[in-house]
Amino acid sequence: MPQEAISDRYELLEELSHGGMGDVWRGYDAVLDRPVAVKLIRQASVTSPQLAEEFAKRFRREARITARIQHPGVPQVYDAVLDASYERLFLVMELVDGVPLSAYLHPGRPLPVSWAAAVAAQVATVLSYAHDVPVIHRDLKPGNILVARDGTVKVLDFGIAAILRTDVTKLTATGSLIGTHQYMSPEQTRGGRITPQTDLYALGCVLHELLSGRLVFEAEGEYLLMHQHVNAAPTPLRQLRPDVPEALEELVLHLLRKAPEARPADTQEVYSRLLPFLPPPGQEPGTTDVVPVGMPDPTAVFRRPFAPRARAQAPASEGLPPTAVLPGAPPVPVPARLREDIREAYAHSDALLEEERFAQAAEVLGEIIEPAALALGSGSKPVLALRRRRAAIRLLGGDYRAALPEFEALADVYARIAGPTGEQSRACRAQAARCRAELGQVTDALAALQGVLNVVRAVDSDVSEEAVELRHNIGLLLLAQGRATEARQVLEPLHQDMCMVFGPDDEMTAEIAEALALIHLDLDGDAAT
C-alpha cells in the first residue's frame, strides 16, 4: 500500500499500462470502497508558475468537459487531481475489465468483417455523443479502444490530448505533435484546425487496419509517415483483402480523404453505412470466421441488444476440486514463513475491515489464498478458513455476487469432509442462501434456508442460536414476498420461543414482535384475522 494516498483518498495498487501520455494504474477509492483506474498524465511543458496556473485551469476544464460525455462507451470520470507542484496530474476513472484492441491486431491476421464493423460502429456511436458536447478525441487509435468482456467497446483518453496542448499549433514543449502518427489526419500533421472530421480520419485508419491487418501507411521515420498521410493515396482494401465488401471499402476511402470537408458529414452517416455489415438481433455467432483467441465478441451487443448480464459463474480458481480433501488424511504442516504471512494477512484484512474497506479487506486475503493452496492443498483447513473469511467479508460488504459461489463451493467441500449435516457445511449453505435472497432469488433462498433448518432441527435444538437465526430469516423473507399468513406461521411460534428463552426485551425478540404487528395490521389484505 502506498505511503501517501492521492488527495488523501486514492491509492495506486498496480501499474496496468505505460504510454507516451501517461501511466495507468489500478487504484482504490478509500472513501467509496471501490476499485478505480488512475491515469498519471505526463506534463513536460510547465516551465514557469504562470504556465503552471494556466495548465491547472485547462486541466480542470477539460476534465469537466470529458465528464459530460454521457455514454456507456466512455469510462466515467470520477475526479481530477492536480498536486501542488503542478507536476503530477491524475484522472480518476471507472476501471473497465477488458482488453485493448491493439492486443489483437497482427500483420496478415485481420478481423472478421462483422467484428471490424461492430467495433467501428460502436466507436462511431461514442464519437457522436462526444462531438455533440463538443469534445474531439484527437488521438483515436487501437490502444485507446478497449473491448470489455461483454463485447462493449470503450473509448479511452478523451480530452487528454486537449489537456496536453500548449499552443494553437498543438505542439508540446519539445516540438512533438500531439497524436499518434499512424492515425494522424493531414490537418493535425500540418498543425491546422481540429474538427470532428479529424476523429473520422483516425476511425478510417483504425477500420482499415482491422479489415486488412495492415496500417494505412508504413514508413521509416515519423516525418516520412506524416508526408504520406498528407500526400499519398491509401491502398484500397479489396486489393489487400478481396472478401471485403465494396461498400465497406468505399466508406474507408471516404473516411481517409485528405480534406476534412470531403469526409463523411458526421458519425451518424458513418454508423448508417456500417449497419448493413452488422448482425441483426437474434442472429447466432458465425462459425466460419477465424476470430482472435481471447478477444470478446464486439458483435454481441448487436446480436443481443439490451440482453441481461450473463449468469454468474464461479471462476475456475475459486472452485475446490473434490480430490483436494481426503477425509482422515493427516494435515500438511504449515511452514513458519507461510504461517506468519497468513497471520499478517488476517491482521491487515481486519484493519481494513475496521475502516469498512471491504473490497480491499477481501483482496488482501485473496493474495495469500493461492500460495497457501499451493503449499498446503486447496482443501486444507487454513485455506478453507481463509476462503470462508473472504466470503464473509464480501457478504458484509454487499458483494453478494462474488460471495455466493464461494460459499456454495465451501459448503460442498465441508460436506465431503464432515458430511452434509456438519456445522461448517450448514453455515456456508445458509450464507449462500442469504446471498441469493439479496440477489433477488428469494424462492431458491427460502428453499435452501428451510433445508438447512430441517438439518439443524434433526441434530440440535429448535431454539439453538443457529435455528433461531434461520427461522427469523425465513419469516422475514416470506413477509417481504407478501406471504403474510405463512410468515405469521413461522414468526409467532418463534416469538413465543424467544420470549421464553431470551425474554421479551431481547433485540431479536423485539424485532420479531414488530414484524408480527405489521402482519396483524393486514396492510396487504393477506393476513388472517
Side-chain angles (χ1 to χ4, degrees):
M1 186 177 297
Q3 293 293 321
E4 182 181 352
I6 299 165
S7 196
D8 295 324
R9 175 172 182 174
Y10 308 108
E11 296 168 2
L12 303 182
L13 303 177
E14 175 189 8
E15 188 173 351
L16 298 177
S17 65
H18 180 80
M21 287 189 178
D23 304 327
V24 179
W25 290 71
R26 182 171 64 86
Y28 172 72
D29 181 346
V31 173
L32 296 182
D33 187 36
R34 65 179 176 184
V36 292
V38 181
K39 181 142 193 169
L40 168 59
I41 301 172
R42 295 195 182 91
Q43 170 56 25
S45 57
V46 174
T47 56
S48 70
Q50 293 77 16
L51 282 176
E53 186 60 34
E54 174 58 32
F55 184 76
K57 291 179 182 178
R58 184 168 69 243
F59 176 74
R60 294 191 178 96
R61 181 178 66 247
E62 293 291 346
R64 291 189 188 106
I65 291 172
T66 301
R68 288 168 54 193
I69 308 173
Q70 297 297 310
H71 189 275
V74 179
Q76 287 184 284
V77 176
Y78 297 143
D79 202 353
V81 181
L82 180 65
D83 73 3
S85 69
Y86 299 108
E87 294 176 355
R88 298 198 309 162
L89 301 94
F90 303 93
L91 279 182
V92 184
M93 300 171 290
E94 171 190 359
L95 181 65
V96 179
D97 181 20
V99 289
L101 190 60
S102 55
Y104 297 101
L105 290 177
H106 302 283
R109 289 162 56 185
L111 292 185
V113 169
S114 62
W115 281 44
V119 169
Q122 290 194 59
V123 172
T125 303
V126 173
L127 291 177
S128 73
Y129 279 77
H131 293 168
D132 188 55
V133 170
V135 172
I136 301 167
H137 193 287
R138 294 178 169 85
D139 192 26
L140 188 68
K141 58 185 176 182
N144 283 336
I145 299 171
L146 198 70
V147 186
R149 299 300 175 186
D150 63 355
T152 303
V153 167
K154 306 279 186 176
V155 180
L156 312 180
D157 285 357
F158 269 105
I160 300 298
I163 291 168
L164 293 179
R165 73 178 187 266
T166 61
D167 54 34
V168 293
T169 62
K170 316 299 186 291
L171 296 176
T172 66
T174 59
S176 300
L177 285 156
I178 293 297
T180 305
H181 302 296
Q182 291 87 345
Y183 309 92
M184 193 180 292
S185 67
E187 62 270 21
Q188 275 180 295
T189 300
R190 294 190 181 101
R193 182 171 177 269
I194 303 300
T195 69
Q197 275 62 37
T198 301
D199 285 343
L200 294 190
Y201 184 90
L203 179 58
C205 292
V206 171
L207 186 52
H208 182 283
E209 189 174 359
L210 296 180
L211 288 167
S212 69
R214 293 172 48 177
L215 293 165
V216 176
F217 298 113
E218 297 181 76
E220 292 290 336
E222 62 184 45
Y223 287 102
L224 182 55
L225 185 60
M226 292 159 59
H227 180 271
Q228 289 182 328
H229 275 285
V230 171
N231 298 293
T235 303
L237 276 169
R238 286 160 61 83
Q239 293 182 25
L240 304 172
R241 181 180 174 184
D243 68 322
V244 171
E246 186 176 355
L248 201 50
E249 178 188 70
E250 291 174 355
L251 172 60
V252 172
L253 291 173
H254 195 181
L255 289 165
L256 294 176
R257 289 183 182 174
K258 306 302 182 185
E261 62 274 11
R263 297 171 201 149
D266 49 32
T267 50
Q268 287 84 350
E269 178 186 336
V270 176
Y271 182 87
S272 296
R273 293 171 66 176
L274 287 167
L275 274 177
F277 311 107
L278 302 177
Q283 185 180 86
E284 292 300 313
T287 57
T288 58
D289 288 331
V290 178
V291 300
V293 177
M295 179 177 172
D297 181 359
T299 68
V301 296
F302 300 100
R303 292 185 291 99
R304 302 188 66 208
F306 303 107
R309 60 172 291 148
R311 288 186 175 89
Q313 301 289 333
S317 60
E318 300 287 340
L320 299 171
T323 58
V325 177
L326 297 176
V332 177
V334 182
R337 179 67 258 181
L338 178 60
R339 184 185 298 110
E340 179 62 19
D341 289 343
I342 291 174
R343 188 195 66 76
E344 289 179 0
Y346 274 122
H348 189 185
S349 177
D350 288 346
L352 291 167
L353 203 57
E354 283 290 322
E355 300 176 19
E356 297 187 350
R357 298 164 68 142
F358 301 104
Q360 277 198 316
E363 186 175 346
V364 165
L365 295 181
E367 290 172 354
I368 193 64
I369 285 173
E370 184 175 352
L374 288 173
L376 307 174
S378 60
S380 64
K381 285 186 178 180
V383 172
L384 293 178
L386 284 164
R387 288 183 180 274
R388 188 170 174 185
R389 177 68 171 168
R390 180 175 64 175
I393 290 171
R394 286 171 166 172
L395 174 61
L396 189 61
D399 192 359
Y400 309 113
R401 200 171 299 281
L404 172 60
E406 187 148 40
F407 274 127
E408 290 185 330
L410 285 165
D412 290 342
V413 173
Y414 282 128
R416 290 196 296 273
I417 296 172
T421 62
E423 180 181 352
Q424 291 171 315
S425 180
R426 300 195 311 258
C428 288
R429 294 206 186 282
Q431 294 289 59
R434 293 180 184 110
C435 290
R436 288 194 179 277
E438 295 290 347
L439 292 169
Q441 304 168 22
V442 180
T443 301
D444 290 341
L446 280 168
L449 289 171
Q450 188 62 56
V452 176
L453 178 60
N454 292 340
V455 173
V456 173
R457 282 172 166 161
V459 300
D460 203 344
S461 165
D462 201 36
V463 290
S464 67
E465 183 177 346
E466 185 180 3
V468 165
E469 186 174 3
L470 288 165
R471 293 165 69 189
H472 184 214
N473 290 159
I474 291 170
L476 293 186
L477 275 177
L478 288 168
L479 186 59
Q481 278 197 312
R483 296 159 65 177
T485 300
E486 295 172 74
R488 190 180 72 171
Q489 291 170 352
V490 172
L491 293 176
E492 279 189 342
L494 175 59
H495 185 255
Q496 294 168 6
D497 290 343
M498 293 291 293
C499 287
M500 184 183 303
V501 177
F502 300 101
D505 296 329
D506 176 81
E507 185 177 349
M508 185 180 290
T509 306
E511 185 178 344
I512 296 168
E514 290 177 7
L516 286 169
L518 284 174
I519 292 173
H520 287 296
L521 286 175
D522 195 18
L523 296 177
D524 297 318
D526 182 52
T529 55

